[in-house]
Amino acid sequence: IAAKLPLAGGTLTGDVTFNGTNLYFNGAASSADYNLALENSDTFTSFYGSTSSSIDKGYKFFVGNQAGDLAFIINADKKVGIGTATTDTAPTERMRIGTDGKVGIGTDNPSTVLEVTGTGDAETGITATHSRSGVGYTLLLNNTNNGANKGSGIKWQSGGFDTGAIITRSDATAASGDAPAYMTFHTSADGSEGLDERMRILSDGKVGIGTTSPSHMLHVNAADGASDNTQAMTIENNEATDGRSYGLKI
């Protein structure tokens, strides 16, 4: 290299092959782990392959070597991590992009397109805010298949087991100016891992509890096989101090 590129100035063209353990520019080596280091008095930038780092043999790219400085990590399995540096040799990974395009925040093995994992006791998920004057949709779910009975939903789990869901589906093919839909609410019963529908709101506003086809604005139906003393609906008033004991007044 020195024969083609003078120590001061000059231009090097064509492919360059380097055979060696370490290559440093503009400074002395600060760690034996680095294969390529660029260093000055203010910032530190490095590529290196590590045999002892917790990321297990890969490459790290630093901008700065102080706590909080940005770090990029390319692991041996070709997954890309983005994190913050705590020292010049051990950045803490904050986000992982897998070879399949899945993104994990707080996890290095995301199972969905975007997976966010928190470790604290509170506020461990996602917070969405806006400053619009009026209503702002902070979460938008869209199914690009607009056919009948197609839609989107939200599911809740506990320990990886389904516990609840809210689903919205199209009554018919959704189109501009005509997109009728119905919404269903689901919970998991005791002794079951499946999600059972509990309530449905039709596109015309009718609400069904215990029925999927309500015929009135509110239609309550006791489940088939319920015990003999199970009421479809109970309206009760235990107020007795003033003599008024009605539970429903029309």
Side-chain angles (χ1 to χ4, degrees), residues 172-233:
T173 300
S176 178
D178 186 21
Y182 62 96
M183 180 178 290
T184 57
F185 297 78
H186 307 252
T187 62
S188 178
D190 188 18
S192 170
E193 293 183 17
L195 293 177
D196 298 318
E197 181 179 329
R198 307 301 185 186
M199 185 173 73
R200 178 174 296 214
I201 304 175
L202 300 184
S203 58
D204 59 3
K206 293 185 177 69
V207 178
I209 300 176
T211 176
T212 60
S213 54
S215 55
H216 306 284
M217 293 308 297
L218 176 61
H219 187 163
V220 181
N221 180 48
D224 186 25
S227 58
D228 293 339
N229 62 350
T230 299
Q231 295 83 20
M233 181 170 60

Side-chain angles (χ1 to χ4, degrees), residues 4 23 29 34 83 116 135 143 166 196 223:
K4 293 186 177 181
L23 177 63
Y34 299 119
V116 180
V135 176
N143 187 341
I166 300 176
D196 298 318

Side-chain angles (χ1 to χ4, degrees), residues 127-143:
T127 299
T129 62
H130 68 89
S131 59
R132 180 180 179 183
S133 177
V135 176
Y137 293 102
T138 53
L139 177 63
L140 174 63
L141 305 179
N142 177 46
N143 187 341

Side-chain angles (χ1 to χ4, degrees), residues 78-80 96-104 110-115:
K78 299 180 181 180
K79 295 180 179 180
V80 177
R96 173 75 64 92
I97 304 175
T99 55
D100 55 2
K102 293 184 175 68
V103 177
S111 58
T112 56
V113 176
L114 173 62
E115 181 175 342

Side-chain angles (χ1 to χ4, degrees), residues 75 101 104 120 146 151 205 216 231 238:
N75 293 321
N146 65 338
H216 306 284
Q231 295 83 20
N238 292 318

Side-chain angles (χ1 to χ4, degrees), residues 11-232:
T11 301
L12 177 65
T13 60
D15 297 334
V16 176
T17 300
F18 173 79
N19 293 316
T21 302
N22 298 299
L23 177 63
Y24 296 96
F25 295 91
N26 192 31
S30 60
S31 171
D33 286 339
Y34 299 119
N35 294 124
L36 174 62
L38 305 175
E39 188 174 56
N40 60 39
S41 60
D42 297 323
T43 62
F44 183 78
T45 306
S46 67
F47 279 95
Y48 66 88
S50 172
T51 57
S52 59
S53 172
S54 60
I55 66 168
D56 187 24
K57 294 184 180 180
Y59 296 92
K60 303 174 188 177
F61 173 76
F62 281 73
V63 179
N65 63 349
Q66 302 298 319
D69 289 339
L70 188 62
F72 297 90
I73 306 164
I74 303 176
N75 293 321
D77 55 5
K78 299 180 181 180
K79 295 180 179 180
V80 177
I82 300 175
T84 53
T86 53
T87 67
D88 61 350
T89 60
T92 300
E93 183 175 316
R94 307 300 183 184
M95 185 174 74
R96 173 75 64 92
I97 304 175
T99 55
D100 55 2
K102 293 184 175 68
V103 177
I105 300 176
T107 175
D108 60 5
N109 188 30
S111 58
T112 56
V113 176
L114 173 62
E115 181 175 342
V116 180
T117 300
T119 58
D121 294 332
E123 292 86 38
T124 58
I126 300 173
T127 299
T129 62
H130 68 89
S131 59
R132 180 180 179 183
S133 177
V135 176
Y137 293 102
T138 53
L139 177 63
L140 174 63
L141 305 179
N142 177 46
N143 187 341
T144 57
N145 187 334
N146 65 338
N149 293 313
K150 311 300 182 183
S152 301
I154 301 175
K155 181 186 286 187
W156 286 264
Q157 291 186 334
S158 179
F161 300 101
D162 295 342
T163 57
I166 300 176
I167 303 172
T168 300
R169 294 183 176 91
S170 299
D171 271 335
T173 300
S176 178
D178 186 21
Y182 62 96
M183 180 178 290
T184 57
F185 297 78
H186 307 252
T187 62
S188 178
D190 188 18
S192 170
E193 293 183 17
L195 293 177
D196 298 318
E197 181 179 329
R198 307 301 185 186
M199 185 173 73
R200 178 174 296 214
I201 304 175
L202 300 184
S203 58
D204 59 3
K206 293 185 177 69
V207 178
I209 300 176
T211 176
T212 60
S213 54
S215 55
H216 306 284
M217 293 308 297
L218 176 61
H219 187 163
V220 181
N221 180 48
D224 186 25
S227 58
D228 293 339
N229 62 350
T230 299
Q231 295 83 20

